[in-house]
Amino acid sequence: MIANNGRLKIAIQKSGRLTDDSVSLLRACGLEFEFQKQSLYSPCRNFDLDILALRDDDIPEYVQDAVADLGIVGENIVREKRAQVETITKLGYGHCRLTISVPQRSTIRTVGQLNRKRIATTYPSTLKQFLRSQKLKAEVIELSGSVELAPTLDVADAICDIVSTGTTSRMNGLRPLHVVLPSEAILIANRETMKNPAKKLLVDRLFIRISGGLQARGKRYMMMNAPSSAIPRLKRIIPSLKSPTVVPLAEEGMVALHSVIGEDVFWDVMEKLKRAGASDIVVVPIETIIK
Ligand code: PRT
Ligand code: ZN
C-alpha cells in the first residue's frame, strides 16, 4: 500500500555502516532534515520526502511492499532477500564482497573442491543460487552471525561472508577462495512508485540531485591564467571531460582556462601545467555536476 499523502518515503539504515554516508548523501542533495536514530520518521523541510530509519535487512522487503517508495541498502541484502524492486543507481559507498573463504591450512584450492563440503553463511539464498550455477552440491549451514568462527568450531569447511578490508578473515586464519558477489550501497525503488506519475516526478528530481553529487565525486574545478600562445600546450595536458573553457583576460595576450579534473591526477597535471606556462592556478571542490 502506498501512503497517499503524496510525499515520498525513503528508507535508510537506522544505525550501521551505511547510515552516515546515506545521511550525508541526502544532505548533499540540499535536503534539510533532522536525523535521529531513535525516531522512525524524519521529515524533510524543503522537499516532499520523509526519511524512514530501519534495520538494513528489512529495507528491501519494505520497499517491495511499498512501506517505503525508495531505499538505500547494500546490494548484498537486496540479492539475499530476492526483493522485487527496481535498482535506480549504485551509490559508490559501502563497498564489500560476499566471499567464500577457507581455513589457511585447508586443501581446498578451487571452487570445484567445495563439492560435498559444508559452508556456513548468513547468506543462504545467494550461496545456494551460486552453488546451483556452479553445479555444486554442498551443505549450506545457515548461521545468524559470527560465521568466521565456524571452521575453528568444526561446524563448517568453508564460510561465505561479507569481506571488506579482509582483516576479520585474516585474524580468523581464513583465506579468500572466491568472490560470489561484489556489493555496494544502491538506491532501490518500489515498482508501483515508478509507475505513479506524481511520485515518479519526485523520484526524478531526487535522482538528478543524487547523480549530480555522484558525478562530482573525485573531481575538482581548476582555473589558471596563461599566455594565449600556451593554449595548445595546456589543452594537451588537461585530461578534462570536455575541452577547457578559455576566457580572455583584460591583459593583452593573456587568457584564463577553466577545467574539471580528477583529484587522482590533479597534482601531476598541475606541475605539468606550471612548466607549460600556467600561473595563478586555483583548484576548488565541486559540489554537483548536472548534465
Ligand atoms: O543493525 P542492522 O541490521 O541495520 O545492521 P547490520 O549489522 O546487519 O549491518 P552493517 O551495518 O554491519 O552493514 C550494513 C551493510 O554495509 C552491509 O549489508 C554491506 O552492504 C555493507 N558492508 C560494507 C559491510 C562491510 N563493509 C563489512 N565489512 N557489512 C559487513 N561487514 C562485516 C564483515 O562481515 C566482517 O565481519 O564487517 C566485518 C569486518 O570486515 P573486514 O573485512 O573489514 O574485516
Ligand atoms: Zn542487518
Side-chain angles (χ1 to χ4, degrees):
M1 181 198 69
I2 298 175
N4 50 15
N5 63 1
R7 287 171 72 82
L8 272 189
K9 287 193 182 63
I10 185 165
I12 66 171
Q13 193 184 19
K14 188 187 179 83
S15 173
R17 283 167 208 274
L18 303 182
T19 307
D20 288 350
D21 283 340
S22 302
V23 169
S24 304
L25 176 85
L26 296 176
R27 289 209 203 283
C29 290
L31 305 179
E32 291 174 9
F33 58 90
E34 275 14 283
F35 183 76
Q36 272 140 10
K37 288 172 182 164
Q38 309 88 293
S39 56
L40 177 62
Y41 272 97
S42 304
C44 281
R45 286 189 289 277
N46 59 349
F47 202 94
D48 284 338
L49 181 81
D50 294 324
I51 299 162
L52 266 162
L54 300 172
R55 282 204 57 196
D56 68 344
D57 314 71
D58 298 333
I59 293 175
E61 212 166 306
Y62 279 172
V63 172
Q64 172 188 289
D65 298 346
V67 175
D69 301 287
L70 300 172
I72 294 179
V73 65
E75 208 173 340
N76 49 312
I77 305 283
V78 179
R79 272 285 288 275
E80 178 62 22
K81 303 287 176 190
R82 297 160 171 249
Q84 300 301 305
V85 294
E86 199 164 307
T87 299
I88 299 186
T89 183
K90 297 187 184 232
L91 295 170
Y93 59 87
H95 287 281
C96 57
R97 39 208 193 278
L98 183 64
T99 307
I100 298 179
S101 307
V102 293
Q104 288 290 0
R105 52 179 166 33
S106 169
T107 53
I108 300 172
R109 298 263 156 209
T110 64
V111 169
Q113 291 172 322
L114 291 169
N115 210 18
R116 311 218 173 270
K117 295 287 192 294
R118 301 163 302 166
I119 312 174
T121 190
T122 54
Y123 289 82
S125 167
T126 313
L127 175 58
K128 282 177 190 166
Q129 197 183 9
F130 170 75
L131 293 170
R132 271 198 304 277
S133 76
Q134 300 292 310
K135 301 196 169 34
L136 289 171
K137 288 206 163 44
E139 187 186 346
V140 174
I141 296 166
E142 191 174 340
L143 300 179
S144 55
S146 303
V147 174
E148 65 280 357
L149 303 178
T152 314
L153 299 172
D154 198 25
V155 176
D157 307 296
I159 69 163
C160 177
D161 197 11
I162 296 291
V163 173
S164 169
T165 59
T167 313
T168 309
S169 281
R170 271 196 302 279
M171 277 173 43
N172 286 282
L174 299 164
R175 75 175 141 79
L177 182 73
H178 185 81
V179 173
V180 174
L181 176 73
S183 176
E184 66 185 87
I186 56 174
L187 177 67
I188 55 171
N190 172 270
R191 289 185 174 165
E192 293 307 313
T193 293
M194 301 304 273
K195 292 182 199 149
N196 173 324
K199 291 225 167 176
K200 174 77 165 50
L201 202 69
L202 284 172
V203 174
D204 288 346
R205 283 179 60 207
L206 191 63
F207 175 68
I208 288 175
R209 295 181 187 203
I210 290 175
S211 51
L214 293 177
Q215 292 279 348
R217 196 168 285 176
K219 299 205 180 87
R220 306 276 179 89
Y221 195 75
M222 186 162 62
M223 297 166 270
M224 73 207 79
N225 294 340
S228 9
S229 58
I231 295 174
R233 272 200 315 276
L234 296 173
K235 272 189 173 174
R236 274 197 299 275
I237 298 167
I238 302 173
S240 81
L241 303 175
K242 291 189 188 141
S243 57
T245 309
V246 182
V247 190
L249 292 178
E251 191 184 336
E252 186 77 18
M254 287 295 285
V255 293
L257 269 91
H258 292 201
S259 179
V260 172
I261 186 162
E263 53 191 18
D264 47 339
V265 293
F266 148 69
W267 286 107
D268 273 357
V269 168
M270 197 266 296
E271 285 161 11
K272 286 186 191 146
L273 290 171
K274 245 185 131 8
R275 280 200 295 276
S279 61
D280 304 312
I281 303 173
V282 175
V283 180
V284 290
I286 303 175
E287 271 187 26
T288 190
I289 300 175
I290 311 294
K291 296 232 170 181

